[in-house]
Amino acid sequence: KGALNVEKIRKDFPILKRKVMGGKPLVYLDNAATTQKPLAVIDAIHDYYTNYNSNIHRAVHQLAEEATKAYEDTRVKIAKFINARSTDEIIFTRNTTEAINLVAYSWGRANIKKDDRIVITEIEHHSNIVPWQILTQEKGAKLEYIGVGDDGYLKMHEYKKYLDSGKVKLVSVSHMSNVLGTITPINEIIKMAHEKGIPVLVDGAQSVPHMPVDVQKMDCEFMAFSAHKMLGPTGVGVLYVKRELLEKMPPFMGGGDMIKEVHKYETRYNDLPYKFEGGTPNIADVIGFAAAIDYLEKIGMDRVREHEIDITKYALDRVAQVKGVTIYGPMNAIDRGGVVSFNIGDIHPHDLATIMNDHGVAIRSGHHCAQVLMERLDVAATSRASFYIYNTKEEVDVFIEALSEARRLFKI
Ligand SMILES: Cc1ncc(COP(=O)(O)O)c(CNc2co[nH]c2=O)c1O
């Protein structure tokens, strides 16, 4: 299929025509936080509210039929996108955070006992740390952290040590770090856990949008990701759970739609996956998500990944030439996603991001909801540029020019 036609892609994103800061072209490099939306996604949401807005699953009028079909079509598309065995294994949540919390409250509460161990890593996002802190504190269980080296790679010998304790009951790890960009050795992590009969949750928030992900090949028990990080709307996340585990899990949110029959003192729950989808869902944005999946499928995730390796390599090479810069994470673009976190001398990242913004460049500065990692790196915060399908090398050049200007301003 050849390389991405980025200029053609950019025409599908109205926001990229925006001027900011008194007429400068927007250079949007904050894709690890959230991505921009193609017109097809915006139109799909507008079309739903304009032509077939209705609640789903229960009414028998035509609007409800159309809305239900569109909503369930998204579930079919997602199951295919991540190669799940069945749509029954796809649960819609609000975001990755809720998906991970669902596992902690439903599977976790039923399976984690006193003195059990849950293994996570030092590179996790707070949404894959705090739910496990709450659960282990409640159960008198313990969190173990796989450390990360100065090179941005996980210390797998620590992982082996934890598994050898015989006390580990769950492993929950990011597939790709939203700070370092590190792509974790997830297949090895899962293989080692399965040798001990331990289930694995994969936080796919930064990997599903950026590379081909196949849950059957990976053989993970759980996977969580968000629509807004992959051209879709905010307010929609996905939890994938292997059917054999999902069937045994108690419900998370009680209410309408997740039931078959409710009596005064007992309820029969609905079939999978509806047992885990209580209340009126975010119908419009689930429908919008389908348009995002279609868009990515048309490009192909292999080409998305190739584009990001190419632009990340270019960015790494150019950032590394800026005097006084420290780059965090693997320097090999093959071992990381399109996320480049860095600091320049002692310029505070917020000051740096402000200067970048003066140049029309949108990057993120702060702890990136990864304060355990900031402690490990011994920094309060970093600046972070993150790329997607619509970013160009010319935009990286604008980014570098702004970095150099900041360095001159701060006399680094
Ligand atoms: C690895 C990872 N896990 C979980 C989440 C939570 O996703 P949410 O529930 O959709 O918010 C994020 C979001 N990361 C970021 C959100 O803003 N800046 C970020 O880096 C993430 O990067």
Side-chain angles (χ1 to χ4, degrees):
K1 278 185 179 177
L4 283 193
N5 182 339
V6 181
E7 285 315 317
K8 182 170 176 293
I9 285 173
R10 288 176 66 87
K11 292 187 172 66
D12 294 330
F13 293 78
I15 199 167
L16 297 179
K17 298 181 190 68
R18 267 227 42 189
K19 300 281 187 268
V20 293
M21 302 308 288
K24 296 188 178 65
L26 168 67
V27 176
Y28 185 77
L29 304 180
D30 194 16
N31 294 286
T34 199
T35 62
Q36 298 304 342
K37 319 306 170 191
L39 209 49
V41 169
I42 301 164
D43 289 349
I45 296 166
H46 182 266
D47 176 43
Y48 164 73
Y49 280 127
T50 306
N51 298 308
Y52 60 107
N53 172 57
S54 163
N55 213 324
I56 59 172
H57 291 149
R58 290 184 296 275
V60 286
H61 54 70
Q62 184 171 339
L63 290 189
E65 298 285 316
E66 291 174 11
T68 300
K69 181 175 181 325
Y71 183 87
E72 292 300 331
D73 279 355
T74 303
R75 202 188 307 271
V76 172
K77 287 181 176 179
I78 290 168
K80 178 173 168 292
F81 191 74
I82 61 171
N83 194 32
R85 289 172 195 79
S86 154
T87 51
D88 292 351
E89 300 176 313
I90 304 297
I91 300 166
F92 287 120
T93 62
R94 282 180 314 126
N95 47 38
T96 301
T97 303
E98 182 178 294
I100 296 172
N101 276 276
L102 193 161
V103 176
Y105 277 91
S106 172
W107 184 89
R109 272 227 176 97
N111 290 279
I112 298 298
K113 309 218 171 355
K114 188 168 169 31
D115 288 338
D116 285 349
R117 299 289 188 268
I118 295 176
V119 171
I120 58 176
T121 80
E122 284 181 334
I123 68 172
E124 300 308 318
H125 184 278
H126 293 163
S127 63
N128 199 29
I129 294 175
V130 179
W132 308 119
Q133 288 177 335
I134 294 168
L135 178 65
T136 49
Q137 281 155 20
E138 184 184 305
K139 297 285 188 175
K142 189 170 177 291
L143 267 186
E144 301 279 19
Y145 286 81
I146 302 173
V148 62
D150 291 340
D151 55 8
Y153 296 95
L154 291 182
K155 295 179 176 174
M156 291 296 280
H157 64 280
E158 291 182 359
Y159 177 50
K160 186 178 179 322
K161 184 164 59 68
Y162 296 141
L163 293 181
D164 289 345
S165 75
K167 295 184 171 182
V168 178
K169 292 294 170 46
L170 176 71
V171 175
S172 190
V173 296
S174 282
H175 191 178
M176 183 190 293
S177 164
N178 67 317
V179 175
L180 305 175
T182 306
I183 297 174
T184 56
I186 198 68
N187 294 324
E188 188 188 351
I189 289 171
I190 293 170
K191 181 173 173 295
M192 289 169 69
H194 285 182
E195 282 162 3
K196 308 269 184 185
I198 300 164
V200 180
L201 185 154
V202 175
D203 173 347
Q206 294 294 349
S207 59
V208 175
H210 298 280
M211 60 202 293
V213 169
D214 180 328
V215 291
Q216 289 191 64
K217 207 185 292 177
M218 221 191 247
D219 198 27
C220 56
E221 277 65 39
F222 310 96
M223 189 165 73
F225 55 99
S226 296
H228 70 95
K229 295 192 189 287
M230 49 194 290
L231 309 182
T234 50
V236 179
V238 174
L239 174 65
Y240 158 80
V241 184
K242 261 186 192 170
R243 177 198 284 278
E244 49 270 36
L245 280 89
L246 194 57
E247 282 169 341
K248 298 192 198 95
M249 281 165 55
F252 175 47
M253 301 282 277
D257 224 14
M258 55 76 70
I259 50 89
K260 276 192 169 152
E261 276 170 47
V262 179
H263 304 283
K264 269 191 179 176
Y265 304 104
E266 62 178 333
T267 285
R268 249 170 15 94
Y269 300 128
N270 206 339
D271 300 328
L272 297 182
Y274 310 110
K275 172 178 165 186
F276 292 95
E277 293 184 359
T280 299
N282 184 357
I283 303 164
D285 291 327
V286 166
I287 291 170
F289 191 13
I293 301 270
D294 289 344
Y295 196 94
L296 287 171
E297 289 275 31
K298 204 163 60 187
I299 292 174
M301 294 312 289
D302 286 325
R303 292 169 78 213
V304 171
R305 176 70 183 134
E306 278 158 31
H307 171 70
E308 289 189 14
I309 289 172
D310 185 44
I311 199 162
T312 304
K313 188 177 178 337
Y314 184 73
L316 282 172
D317 291 348
R318 292 223 58 194
V319 172
Q321 287 158 25
V322 174
K323 195 163 159 291
V325 79
T326 303
I327 297 175
Y328 306 100
M331 288 309 287
N332 176 344
I334 301 290
D335 292 345
R336 58 151 68 224
V339 177
V340 179
S341 292
F342 61 95
N343 275 311
I344 300 184
D346 56 5
I347 305 179
H348 193 285
H350 290 141
D351 295 335
L352 186 66
T354 303
I355 294 166
M356 306 303 279
N357 181 51
D358 293 344
H359 287 73
V361 180
I363 64 167
R364 179 73 41 146
S365 66
H367 54 63
H368 313 292
C369 298
Q371 287 176 297
V372 167
L373 179 56
M374 295 297 121
E375 278 172 21
R376 164 67 186 81
L377 298 174
D378 195 21
V379 292
T382 76
S383 294
R384 182 189 71 185
S386 48
F387 309 103
Y388 209 14
I389 55 173
Y390 36 67
N391 291 128
T392 64
K393 289 180 179 172
E394 292 70 26
E395 290 186 306
V396 173
D397 294 338
V398 173
F399 164 62
I400 296 297
E401 182 40 46
L403 277 190
S404 308
E405 170 66 16
R407 204 175 55 75
R408 282 191 291 276
L409 263 177
F410 283 84
K411 298 182 177 48
I412 302 280

